[in-house]
Amino acid sequence: MKERIKDKAWRPQFIKLNNPDTSKKIVSQKSKKPEIVDLSSPGNNDLVTISILCVLLCFQLAISLNPHSGESQPPMYGDYEAQRHWMEITVNLPIEQWYLNGTHNDLLYWGLDYPPITAYHHYLLGVISNKINKKWVELTTSRGYESIAHKLFMRLSAIIPFYIFYLPPLIFYFTRSKKMSPILYALALLYPSLLVIDNGHFQYNSISLGLFLATYMFLTKNFTIIGSILFVAALNYKQMELYHALPVFVFILARSINKTQLFNSFRRILTIGLFVVGTFLIIWLPFLLTGTAKDVIIRVFPFNRGLYEDKVASFWCAFSFILKRLPLQSVQIYISTALVLAGSAPSLLVLFLRPTEKQFRISLTATGLSFFLFSFHVHEKTILLAAVPALLLISEYTSLVIWFLNITNISIFSLCVKDNFALSLSFFFAYFVVSYAYTAPRKISHILTILIGFAICILELYGPSNQRFPHIYQLANAFFSCVHFIYFLLYLSFASFEKTKKE
Amino acid sequence: MGEVQLVLAVTAILISFKCLLIPAYVSTDFEVHRNWMAVTWQRPLCEWYTEATSEWTLDYPPFFAYFELGLASVAHFFGFDECLVISKTPRFSRRILIFQRFSVIFCDILYIAVCALYSFRSPRLVSRIPKKLQQNGREACFVLLASLQALIICDSIHFQYNSMLTAIFLMSLFFIDTERYLMAALSYSILLNFKHIYVYYALGYVFYYLVNYFQFSGNVLLANTPKAISLAIALLIPFCASIFPFIHASGVQGLQNIATRLFPVSRGLTHAYWAPNFWALYNFADLCLYRVLSLLKIGKFDAPTYTSGLVQEYSHSVLPNVSPMGTLCLVVISSMIVLTGLVIRRKDSADFSLFAVFSAFCFFYFGYHVHEKAIILVTVPMTVFAIKNPKYHSILIHLTCIASFSLFPLLFTPFETLLKYAICVSYFFIQLVFLKRVTLMPLSDLIPTRHVASWLLMGMVEVYNTFLHKWLWTSRLPFAPLMAISILTAIELTGLIGALIWSTFGDGIFEIWWAKATCQIRERLIRDSTYSVQAVEDLDDVKLVAGIDTSAAKLNSDMVYISVSFWTYPDLKHVATISDTRMLELPYIPQYLAVREAEVMADFLKSVITERPELRPDVILCDGFGEFHSRGCGMACHVGALSGIASIGVAKNLTLHHTYETIGMENKSKVDSFVEHCREVYKNNKTSPGFIPFDIVEPVVLNILRMGSSMNGVFVSAGYGIDLELSTEICSQLLLNNTTIEPIRAADLESRRLVRENFDGNEKLE
């Protein structure tokens, strides 16, 4: 193609076009606001979630390298051996003997004392481990069995439930929040106490707590029947989920009541009740059929044991130096019950009057704390039942929740020392540094009290031994934690009422 | 203030993680360092390099020996004397483990501090990153260096002290970035006296100093003499401090003892496990030839011994043996070629980290008896360089993945097998998160499909190695899985080096030539109407029009925002504007504007339409020319052809260079006169809709819709899939306030707003 130029005298020619009126354009321009999209903005949380999960897995595996409860400590060992023993019992004995003392099942040696779903879970794990290596669960002769391969299997069995039961509802809860700080998100997912207890000490709390979180998600989305079934499952995995039974019941009741249609309300409540009873029956069916249900209940609720075990940050232990001088032995269970109800009542009352999601979260946390502080036969690990619902409050009460979570870490340190897992302190301290480096406002009083807690932990490791009071540091830890937990309980109770007034 | 929080948080997380790793598997290096502590503590100086009770003899330079003596002093002070017993058999206890692990952790704290110093204080680190993203760049550099997965595996589990040594190297980088060349040289010399493997960087330093320190030029030779003396002093001080005590204690014999230990030559061309370099491929080729020739019964060859998995000297079966001197020659030659090329091609802009990368790569690739852990020496400067030049992000990610795969065989016990995978996958995703924050580019920029495919292949081989091989073959062929992973990573590393060389040098003559050739081929296809397009033949076909435009960041013009603005036609309702970031790979070439932007624009437009089919426009308007072009194919033609949507070129400025060239400069005055007359005509028809055909040159490919007092206005040319007359009529309708084409204006404003908000900051008000 060759371009040709025209004569010098060529002039431009203006060609007119017919166009609509200009004023029409101006009018149409103001009609609808256009959609402005910026695809480069970091709205995609998936990458952050995957990164946090990978870091979580790294920490779980690293914690798993460290000693588990009772490692190499015959004759009783610890919780790790308890879990292994339950696999041994469930896989070798018929179901009617699982909870019964007998020739092959000495209940004094880690007798099964959790509800049936735990037994079913361990039966499943027992079948798997029996296929891998019969020696792992051989009847009687496998007691105290320890090997690298077995430890790896057990550790994986404690890690995998996190990703099946516990993390999905937690991630779903946080990712549906309108604006969630990635740091708070990471702090919630990487909460150290649960990791240290499940992957270090060795338990399966992630399953019951995961079922509980799923219950919360379904109940708040008005899938009440599914939520109820899930809560029954959580309750039948660990009976300690009773800590949450009151707020769950009140929430369902309050949301089911419709003042203008009492008949429908009654029918709805009855339907939920039937599903709850039905689920219980299905879970307990094997024991009902074999006539051993009563024995299971006795094992699951041992009322003949004391108010607390070891140095736990409950009210009874922390203030034992005062209480043991008072003549309370004959009425302790009644006082315990009364105090639990008194501690739970404020938030439950407000929840009944105003069953909002936020109030539900507050009530779950407050009730968990109340049970932990005043309830019967509390283990230090059960602080998780207050801490996990507190994770759901991390957006609304950031300062308080972070303070609380750090105190819970300190409260279980004595358990770690007993497990020869003092290195967990580095994880707790890292959590403290990250949480206070990135959250605002930073309250000096919170930081100082947590540092005092860490000082108590250091003393527990390296402090001079005291002949007269050999457990002085553990008691100091328990007292320190208990005082904070009482404060948190009071704060949440008042927070319930404050919210009501403002609304 | 944000950086203090980040440093504290990352330090706390990493240190706690390393504390939790204390019970993990340790390699024989654990006993090596325990023995070195014992030797330096129990024996006089003159016996350090001759003590041989334990097989793990001291074979690092004297500074490292002094360091071990320092550790021994600390151990003695804190009552860990069981670490300090010279023993023929390895000694191990929990107390020894705790002390040695904490010594590594302490070094890690120093390393993290140096990472923070370099990342947040280096003036050159973020000079090519847009202003608003510079802090993100610094944070990314800090996090990626501090949590480097190779260091966690090699130091905190396997057991070595690489982090401390890497800290010294980073200090040297810092001094170079602050142009304190003598301090940088001193740091590097100290580093060499800790561990002589860091000679990997030596040639990089030599070439960089020739260019930047000496201002290499024959004319000022005399001016360099005092500089040379100063440099010599800086380099020699550490060597004197390192070696003199031994000469003082044992004379020349002391020096010989050190040399013998530091440079053993009986270890073989490759390590027990082949590092993924050229010699792994060489061994594999030799093995294949041996198998084939043996099968064909041609000649007689000895069976290879390099697959025994042992550290020993060996001979090749078919291919000639390679001597240490031969490998050294290859290293020096390849380094000199690449670094000389770097000096010539990028004299004014080359960064020292790139010199270090190439120097270390050449040593790693051709060096004698390379350990797979030496990949750390490449990864660290590559991380720094990628932060400085965002175009290399995908290369960095690919390198760290290759490094991960090559380090996997170090850990083989059950728990550590899972840990190594978790650590490397975590690091991969952390890299994605932080590098994405640096540029805001789409994820596909960071992980190209080809890279993902190679990772999947290596991943499958790794899974087979770990879980399936023993199950399938029991104890047969124990070296085969290791060899497979070595060969695969060596192939990928070779490809990566090629990509790095291409990225570094290819943007010169070859890349431009290639880009031009590709562009011309495409233009021929466009002129032949080969590309399929949804053509527009009638005004009634047009319901939705879109304007597309880009804006670039100030400090890095390769980083752009693309915006596409959708409007209904003819009632001109603004429906939506969608924007995203893109990295432009190709340079600006006069008369080849389409090379740089057209393909990126078309790809973006296609991705938007794929996600939002209801927004598929009937016509796309581009800021640029269409058929009004020296070869008849301007930017708009390319966008239309590549996107499959009819396109119109709408320019704001009338550039006539190619017209002058076509008709000859003797006719320039005629064209200028015509343009002047056009301007006069528009003065008389300001408010009337219409156009002037640019018909002073035939054929007519340009219509003038608006003409201002200078050369700016609205100039319409047909793009692809539409003719000029229809284009002009559509654009006339799209004129608002008789000034500009509204869809392009909206796209331009939005892209510039986003660049201002996310890239450059509000330096000037719009």
Side-chain angles (χ1 to χ4, degrees):
Chain A
M1 180 177 69
K2 180 63 178 177
E3 292 183 347
R4 294 184 298 100
I5 188 168
K6 292 192 172 180
D7 295 335
K8 181 174 182 178
W10 187 258
R11 295 301 180 93
Q13 304 295 319
F14 185 81
I15 300 175
K16 291 191 175 182
L17 292 170
N18 297 319
N19 269 358
D21 193 7
T22 304
S23 60
K24 185 178 179 181
K25 304 176 187 178
I26 299 175
V27 171
S28 63
Q29 192 181 12
K30 297 180 179 178
S31 58
K32 183 183 177 184
K33 192 173 184 180
E35 177 188 4
I36 308 296
V37 178
D38 177 11
L39 298 177
S40 74
S41 61
N44 183 8
N45 258 338
D46 294 347
L47 212 55
V48 174
T49 299
I50 295 174
S51 300
I52 296 173
L53 290 181
C54 290
V55 172
L56 171 66
L57 182 60
C58 287
F59 272 94
Q60 286 179 305
L61 289 169
I63 292 170
S64 298
L65 287 169
N66 288 267
H68 53 69
S69 157
E71 181 167 334
S72 304
Q73 297 177 27
M76 292 300 292
Y77 301 94
D79 271 352
Y80 177 96
E81 169 62 10
Q83 314 291 334
R84 191 212 59 78
H85 182 65
W86 296 349
M87 297 176 198
E88 171 195 331
I89 294 300
T90 53
V91 86
N92 286 298
L93 298 180
I95 193 168
E96 58 266 23
Q97 296 184 30
W98 287 1
Y99 289 88
L100 285 178
N101 202 18
T103 307
H104 299 292
N105 187 11
D106 179 9
L107 292 185
L108 291 180
Y109 184 83
W110 297 116
L112 189 49
D113 57 1
Y114 279 157
I117 291 188
T118 289
Y120 301 148
H121 176 222
H122 284 74
Y123 173 76
L124 176 64
L125 292 177
V127 169
I128 296 173
S129 56
N130 193 37
K131 278 184 164 34
I132 297 176
N133 188 335
K134 293 182 187 298
K135 291 185 177 179
W136 290 0
V137 289
E138 202 163 359
L139 197 60
T140 308
T141 57
S142 62
R143 287 191 180 184
Y145 188 93
E146 287 178 353
S147 74
I148 294 294
H150 182 248
K151 183 171 179 176
L152 182 64
F153 168 77
M154 296 287 275
R155 291 305 201 188
L156 286 178
S157 74
I159 290 174
I160 290 173
F162 268 83
Y163 298 90
I164 298 176
F165 294 99
Y166 176 75
L167 290 169
L170 202 61
I171 291 172
F172 181 76
Y173 171 79
F174 284 119
T175 51
R176 74 183 178 95
S177 301
K178 23 193 173 178
K179 187 72 175 182
M180 184 63 184
S181 160
I183 299 298
L184 292 184
Y185 185 31
L187 289 174
L189 294 189
L190 291 165
Y191 172 53
S193 287
L194 178 57
L195 303 185
V196 166
I197 291 172
D198 271 23
N199 302 125
H201 179 77
F202 202 85
Q203 284 196 339
Y204 293 103
N205 293 291
S206 62
I207 295 176
S208 57
L209 292 171
L211 292 169
F212 156 72
L213 287 172
T215 298
Y216 170 85
M217 299 306 299
F218 280 107
L219 289 185
T220 52
K221 296 302 180 190
N222 288 320
F223 292 100
T224 311
I225 291 176
I226 298 177
S228 302
I229 293 173
L230 286 170
F231 186 70
V232 171
L235 188 59
N236 280 280
Y237 192 90
K238 276 189 190 253
Q239 64 271 42
M240 293 307 165
E241 278 299 324
L242 282 171
Y243 282 26
H244 299 139
L246 287 176
V248 168
F249 173 76
V250 170
F251 185 78
I252 294 175
L253 185 67
R255 283 208 167 183
S256 297
I257 288 177
N258 190 330
K259 295 179 179 178
T260 59
Q261 297 177 348
L262 286 181
F263 178 76
N264 282 342
S265 301
F266 178 77
R267 186 179 65 179
R268 181 175 169 82
I269 294 171
L270 184 61
T271 303
I272 297 170
L274 287 176
F275 270 95
V276 167
V277 174
T279 308
F280 264 103
L281 287 177
I282 291 173
I283 294 172
W284 286 72
L285 196 59
F287 302 97
L288 293 171
L289 293 180
T290 57
T292 56
K294 182 181 177 183
D295 300 298
V296 176
I297 293 176
I298 291 174
R299 287 293 304 163
V300 168
F301 296 105
F303 288 102
N304 57 336
R305 295 164 85 174
L307 268 177
Y308 54 88
E309 188 169 304
D310 281 329
K311 304 300 178 285
V312 63
S314 79
F315 174 78
W316 306 110
C317 174
F319 293 91
S320 61
F321 56 92
I322 298 175
L323 297 173
K324 64 185 179 183
R325 293 180 171 84
L326 302 177
L328 298 176
Q329 278 70 28
S330 58
V331 294
Q332 59 187 10
I333 191 171
Y334 304 108
I335 296 179
S336 167
T337 304
L339 284 174
V340 167
L341 293 178
S344 305
S347 61
L348 288 175
L349 177 62
V350 178
L351 178 62
F352 183 76
L353 295 176
R354 195 174 300 278
T356 63
E357 287 187 30
K358 181 176 176 180
Q359 189 58 43
F360 190 23
R361 294 195 289 272
I362 292 175
S363 186
L364 288 167
T365 306
T367 307
L369 268 172
S370 181
F371 270 88
F372 177 81
L373 286 167
F374 305 115
S375 180
F376 194 80
H377 194 69
V378 171
H379 291 242
E380 62 274 75
K381 312 177 201 68
T382 51
I383 191 60
L384 296 176
L385 292 161
V388 167
L391 294 177
L392 306 179
L393 291 167
I394 202 169
S395 294
E396 289 111 345
Y397 297 93
T398 303
S399 181
L400 181 84
V401 168
I402 282 176
W403 191 20
F404 174 59
L405 295 178
N406 278 282
I407 298 296
T408 62
N409 293 337
I410 291 167
S411 74
I412 66 163
F413 182 67
S414 299
L415 178 71
C416 298
V417 172
K418 195 167 58 170
D419 288 348
N420 291 320
F421 186 26
L423 289 171
S424 61
L425 192 62
S426 67
F427 191 19
F428 297 155
F429 191 77
Y431 192 81
F432 163 67
V433 171
V434 176
S435 51
Y436 280 95
Y438 270 101
T439 57
R442 295 187 203 91
K443 298 186 176 178
I444 300 299
S445 59
H446 293 185
I447 295 175
L448 283 179
T449 56
I450 295 173
L451 288 176
I452 291 172
F454 280 119
I456 295 174
C457 293
I458 296 294
L459 286 175
E460 194 166 350
L461 283 175
Y462 303 113
S465 58
N466 193 311
Q467 297 297 328
R468 186 180 174 193
F469 301 105
H471 303 298
I472 187 66
Y473 301 118
Q474 290 96 316
L475 280 170
N477 190 329
F479 180 82
F480 165 88
S481 303
C482 179
V483 169
H484 283 85
F485 294 154
I486 291 174
Y487 172 82
F488 296 136
L489 176 57
L490 292 175
Y491 185 101
L492 288 174
S493 298
F494 282 113
S496 301
F497 287 105
E498 282 180 4
K499 186 175 187 308
T500 303
K501 290 177 181 177
K502 288 177 182 176
E503 288 183 4
Chain B
M1 279 303 295
E3 60 197 49
V4 175
Q5 282 95 324
L6 180 70
V7 172
L8 284 176
V10 170
T11 304
I13 293 170
L14 288 173
I15 299 306
S16 78
F17 185 63
K18 292 164 196 277
C19 285
L20 295 173
L21 289 175
I22 284 177
Y25 154 90
V26 288
S27 71
T28 52
D29 276 327
F30 183 86
E31 173 62 16
V32 166
H33 290 288
R34 191 207 65 77
N35 182 58
W36 292 1
M37 277 197 290
V39 167
T40 53
W41 181 256
Q42 301 284 359
R43 293 285 186 263
L45 199 81
C46 55
E47 295 184 26
W48 285 4
Y49 285 93
T50 56
E51 160 66 41
T53 303
S54 168
E55 63 175 314
W56 308 115
T57 53
L58 179 58
D59 58 3
Y60 276 15
F63 272 6
F64 206 96
Y66 299 150
F67 168 71
E68 295 282 3
L69 180 60
L71 288 184
S73 303
V74 175
H76 179 68
F77 178 80
F78 283 106
F80 290 94
D81 286 302
E82 59 260 54
C83 299
L84 307 176
V85 177
I86 297 178
S87 169
K88 191 177 184 65
T89 58
R91 292 176 61 86
F92 186 89
S93 73
R94 179 158 175 89
R95 281 172 57 84
I96 297 176
L97 177 70
I98 287 179
F99 176 78
Q100 299 212 167
R101 286 292 202 201
F102 270 110
S103 69
V104 172
I105 290 171
F106 182 77
C107 292
D108 285 332
I109 294 174
L110 296 179
Y111 170 68
I112 294 170
V114 172
C115 290
L117 171 68
Y118 181 78
S119 301
F120 293 107
R121 294 290 178 264
S122 165
R124 290 192 204 174
L125 182 66
V126 292
S127 56
R128 282 183 55 80
I129 296 177
K131 188 175 181 180
K132 272 249 175 116
L133 300 175
Q134 286 182 349
Q135 185 66 9
N136 289 1
R138 293 190 182 279
E139 290 177 2
C141 183
F142 171 68
V143 169
L144 296 185
L145 286 177
S147 61
L148 194 69
Q149 97 282 30
L151 288 179
I152 295 178
I153 289 177
C154 292
D155 284 16
S156 302
I157 300 179
H158 185 77
F159 200 87
Q160 283 194 335
Y161 291 93
N162 294 294
S163 62
M164 175 190 66
L165 304 173
T166 306
I168 302 175
F169 176 62
L170 281 179
M171 285 301 299
S172 188
L173 282 186
F174 176 74
F175 288 132
I176 286 180
D177 279 6
T178 53
E179 299 189 4
R180 295 150 72 180
Y181 294 113
L182 291 181
M183 288 299 295
L186 183 68
S187 301
Y188 177 63
S189 189
I190 291 171
L191 179 61
L192 265 185
N193 281 278
F194 267 96
K195 190 171 181 181
H196 48 309
I197 198 174
Y198 286 90
V199 76
Y200 276 31
Y201 297 132
L203 286 171
Y205 274 92
V206 168
F207 277 77
Y208 186 80
Y209 270 64
L210 283 177
V211 175
N212 293 272
Y213 179 68
F214 288 111
Q215 306 294 331
F216 188 70
S217 173
N219 297 337
V220 292
L221 185 61
L222 286 180
N224 283 328
T225 303
K227 284 188 171 181
I229 295 174
S230 302
L231 183 62
I233 293 173
L235 290 172
L236 288 176
I237 286 175
F239 278 94
C240 292
S242 179
I243 297 173
F244 180 75
F246 291 87
I247 296 180
H248 176 72
S250 308
V252 178
Q253 182 63 36
L255 207 54
Q256 287 179 0
N257 292 339
I258 298 176
T260 303
R261 284 291 180 81
L262 260 60
F263 301 103
V265 293
S266 59
R267 289 183 168 178
L269 181 66
T270 51
H271 189 43
Y273 162 68
W274 302 350
N277 63 358
F278 180 79
W279 305 119
L281 299 172
Y282 191 85
N283 284 355
F284 188 65
D286 184 75
L287 181 65
C288 290
L289 284 174
Y290 169 77
R291 298 285 188 212
V292 171
L293 296 182
S294 296
L295 198 63
L296 299 178
K297 301 191 189 303
I298 299 175
K300 232 175 186 181
F301 303 98
D302 296 329
T305 56
Y306 40 70
T307 57
S308 65
L310 301 173
V311 178
Q312 62 181 10
E313 206 159 6
Y314 56 81
S315 299
H316 286 92
S317 300
V318 181
L319 298 175
N321 288 327
V322 183
S323 68
M325 191 56 61
T327 63
L328 183 59
C329 289
L330 265 177
V331 168
V332 172
I333 291 171
S334 61
S335 292
M336 293 188 71
I337 290 173
V338 175
L339 294 173
T340 302
L342 200 56
V343 167
I344 294 174
R345 290 290 312 155
R346 320 247 302 206
K347 175 175 286 188
D348 296 325
S349 63
D351 185 77
F352 173 72
S353 53
L354 188 57
F355 280 86
V357 167
F358 276 120
S359 183
F361 252 138
C362 290
F363 260 95
F364 185 87
Y365 199 66
F366 292 115
Y368 188 82
H369 198 81
V370 172
H371 287 231
E372 67 278 25
K373 295 187 283 290
I375 197 74
I376 294 173
L377 273 67
V378 184
T379 308
V380 169
M382 186 70 218
T383 301
V384 170
F385 181 65
I387 298 294
K388 290 179 171 176
N389 194 331
K391 276 188 173 179
Y392 292 81
H393 283 179
S394 66
I395 290 182
L396 168 63
I397 291 175
H398 195 36
L399 174 63
T400 53
C401 285
I402 293 171
S404 295
F405 281 107
S406 69
L407 292 171
F408 282 157
L410 283 179
L411 306 177
F412 46 87
T413 47
F415 277 98
E416 287 75 10
T417 295
L418 298 180
L419 254 175
K420 70 190 185 189
Y421 296 146
I423 290 168
C424 291
V425 173
S426 292
Y427 189 73
F428 171 76
F429 282 107
I430 289 170
Q431 267 191 320
L432 292 187
V433 169
F434 278 90
L435 291 179
K436 194 173 185 340
R437 289 177 77 238
V438 177
T439 59
L440 304 182
M441 293 296 152
L443 215 54
S444 54
D445 275 26
L446 295 175
I447 44 176
T449 304
R450 186 203 163 281
H451 288 179
V452 176
S454 67
W455 300 336
L456 290 179
L457 176 60
M458 290 190 284
M460 283 188 283
V461 173
E462 177 65 27
V463 169
Y464 170 83
N465 288 1
T466 303
F467 301 110
L468 297 181
H469 184 73
K470 284 187 176 178
W471 181 57
L472 290 176
W473 298 89
T474 60
S475 60
R476 293 177 55 198
L477 302 174
F479 192 75
L482 297 178
M483 185 172 67
I485 204 69
S486 289
I487 297 302
L488 277 178
T489 48
I491 291 170
E492 285 304 315
L493 194 70
T494 304
L496 185 137
I497 294 174
L500 185 62
I501 291 176
W502 173 257
S503 293
T504 305
F505 301 105
D507 64 347
I509 297 173
F510 290 109
E511 193 173 44
I512 292 178
W513 171 83
W514 178 258
K516 283 186 175 180
T518 305
C519 185
Q520 286 169 357
I521 291 172
R522 185 187 299 156
E523 286 170 354
R524 191 175 310 126
L525 297 175
I526 289 174
R527 285 194 293 267
D528 295 342
S529 301
T530 305
Y531 289 94
S532 63
V533 65
Q534 178 186 289
V536 171
E537 298 174 354
D538 195 288
L539 213 54
D540 294 335
D541 295 336
V542 182
K543 305 295 182 186
L544 192 67
V545 298
I548 189 166
D549 201 356
T550 64
S551 297
K554 280 197 176 71
L555 289 174
N556 190 335
S557 58
D558 291 335
M559 295 174 63
V560 301
Y561 262 98
I562 306 178
S563 292
V564 57
S565 177
F566 297 91
W567 297 68
T568 58
Y569 185 89
D571 53 355
L572 285 191
K573 241 183 291 184
H574 186 182
V575 177
T577 298
I578 299 178
S579 310
D580 202 355
T581 51
R582 287 292 187 273
M583 185 78 72
L584 301 182
E585 299 293 333
L586 298 173
Y588 165 81
I589 309 172
Q591 296 299 317
Y592 287 86
L593 296 181
V595 163
R596 181 163 161 86
E597 291 189 2
E599 190 165 348
V600 173
M601 282 184 170
D603 286 343
F604 173 65
L605 186 59
K606 282 195 283 189
S607 67
V608 169
I609 291 170
T610 301
E611 289 292 319
R612 306 280 295 272
E614 78 278 10
L615 289 179
R616 180 183 175 87
D618 301 300
V619 175
I620 184 76
L621 299 123
C622 305
D623 183 11
F625 289 109
E627 292 177 357
F628 186 70
H629 183 260
S630 59
R631 298 183 302 278
C633 290
M635 165 95 77
C637 300
H638 288 260
V639 172
L642 294 172
S643 65
I645 298 171
S647 61
I648 301 172
V650 183
K652 293 189 284 287
N653 298 282
L654 185 59
T655 55
L656 296 169
H657 305 101
H658 79 276
T659 303
Y660 298 151
E661 290 169 7
T662 303
I663 64 178
M665 296 304 292
E666 66 275 12
N667 292 315
K668 180 175 182 297
S669 60
K670 295 181 182 179
V671 175
D672 291 344
S673 175
F674 181 86
V675 170
E676 189 60 34
H677 282 120
C678 290
R679 195 171 293 115
E680 290 174 5
V681 170
Y682 267 108
K683 286 181 181 178
N684 302 327
N685 297 276
K686 274 188 176 179
T687 57
S688 302
F691 68 94
I692 298 174
F694 189 79
D695 54 4
I696 186 63
V697 180
E698 289 185 336
V700 180
V701 292
L702 183 74
N703 285 337
I704 303 172
L705 265 182
R706 269 295 154 246
M707 176 68 77
S709 57
S710 60
M711 294 293 277
N712 58 350
V714 178
F715 306 96
V716 178
S717 54
Y720 193 73
I722 192 170
D723 60 35
L724 179 58
E725 182 179 355
L726 202 52
S727 302
T728 307
E729 193 157 356
I730 292 171
C731 290
S732 176
Q733 183 71 15
L734 295 171
L735 273 176
L736 278 187
N737 303 319
N738 291 324
T739 54
T740 186
I741 302 297
E742 193 61 21
I744 294 181
R745 176 178 170 274
D748 174 62
L749 289 179
E750 177 67 7
S751 62
R752 282 201 277 158
R753 179 186 75 83
L754 289 170
V755 165
R756 205 164 52 245
E757 280 192 7
N758 295 333
F759 281 173
D760 290 341
N762 296 300
E763 284 187 351
K764 58 182 181 180
L765 297 178
E766 193 63 23

